[in-house]
Amino acid sequence: MPQEVLRVENLKVYYYTIRGVVKAVDNVSLTLNRGETLGIAGESGCGKSTLAWSLLRLVPPPGRIVDGRIVIDGIDITRLDHEELRKVRWRKVSMIFQGAMNALNPVMPIWLQIAEPFIYHLGMSKEEAYTRAVELLRMVGLDESFAKRYPHELSGGQKQRVVIAMAIALKPDVLIADEPTTALDVVVQAQILNLLKKLVRETGVSLIIISHDLSVIAELADKVAIMYGGKIVEYGPSEKIYKNPKHPYTQALLKAIPRLRAPRMKLSYIPGQPPDLRTPPPGCRFAPRCDQAMPICSKQEPPLIEVDKDQFVACWLYSTSEKLKNKNNE
Ligand SMILES: Nc1ncnc2c1ncn2[C@@H]1O[C@H](COP(=O)(O)OP(=O)(O)OP(=O)(O)O)[C@@H](O)[C@H]1O
Ligand SMILES: [Mg+2]
């Protein structure tokens, strides 16, 4: 029986801006088992990072978790006070932040950036902390010579390895990697994905990998959540979603991936813009861009239902009984 390490239930995270309420994460539910990798994909602005930040309770103001539960190891962390939260953050759930490799401290040697939590949180001596930092560097494929270097002496890929070492320093159960390969060239991108794969295999950590690029997620994920406009529109085992995507948005995202081996053809793109999350359209948020939209789609929100074993889709194309019910009520 797989052991569940994370459960998100009906999570809502909104930003209260002067121009209105941005519903960045709107009723999202998902689960993650030990040693499992979940990929979260969707276009820019669909709420991926906001969802990730909320799992560490680090949503920046004016954002706030408005409703829902985030259960980690049986504890609902939305209810913890700051002292209790300290025991969970970085230790149970940790994160490689989007763009973090460009935010390393330029005047601090690499080893000390990795070792800081050992010295300040665990009270280790400098010598012990240095030894542990070198161990972590080795785990991410960098030798001891990197310990005393400064960030400007490292390449992009090496800096990203350092950031990964920092994120796994306190041996978290769940590691979130937010766009870990964006801005890296394809060769380095493949190396970083291999490193993450190795860490999952060797440490048993559960991984959430976030990317706007479905081909990055395909490399690693056991299951995938496709987000659109603050909601999950399709969720299930990777194999099923890549082979047999059901939601028109997932189908469109997959068609937009260039394929090296396929015959040459025009790359498709999704016309239109993602919705403004202050005033999302009524019904299905994808309806205005969907080439299969029906009248009900712009009226009523489709529920997320299981259309094939473990494959959930929020689309009226598959909710026949609900559609009929609605028709009878019209
Ligand atoms: N601090 C903030 N204040 C107000 N709105 C915000 C803030 N941060 C994010 N948002 C809004 O919340 C929505 C979701 O943003 P988020 O950064 O989570 O998206 P994302 O999917 O991670 O995008 P990307 O792929 O570009 O990283 C967007 O509409 C964004 O404009
Ligand atoms: Mg983001």
Side-chain angles (χ1 to χ4, degrees), residues 69-111:
R69 280 158 41 92
I70 299 169
V71 183
I72 295 167
D73 262 357
I75 304 166
D76 180 2
I77 65 149
T78 62
R79 288 171 208 284
L80 299 186
D81 64 29
H82 283 280
E83 196 43 45
E84 293 167 321
L85 203 53
R86 262 168 41 100
K87 297 185 192 128
V88 174
R89 206 183 269 155
W90 313 126
R91 291 161 205 251
K92 290 207 183 284
V93 189
S94 175
M95 181 158 167
I96 301 159
F97 287 91
Q98 190 168 1
M101 66 184 219
N102 300 316
L104 289 169
N105 186 336
V107 293
M108 198 189 266
I110 296 298
W111 80 267

Side-chain angles (χ1 to χ4, degrees), residues 125 291 315:
S125 70
D291 57 7
C315 176

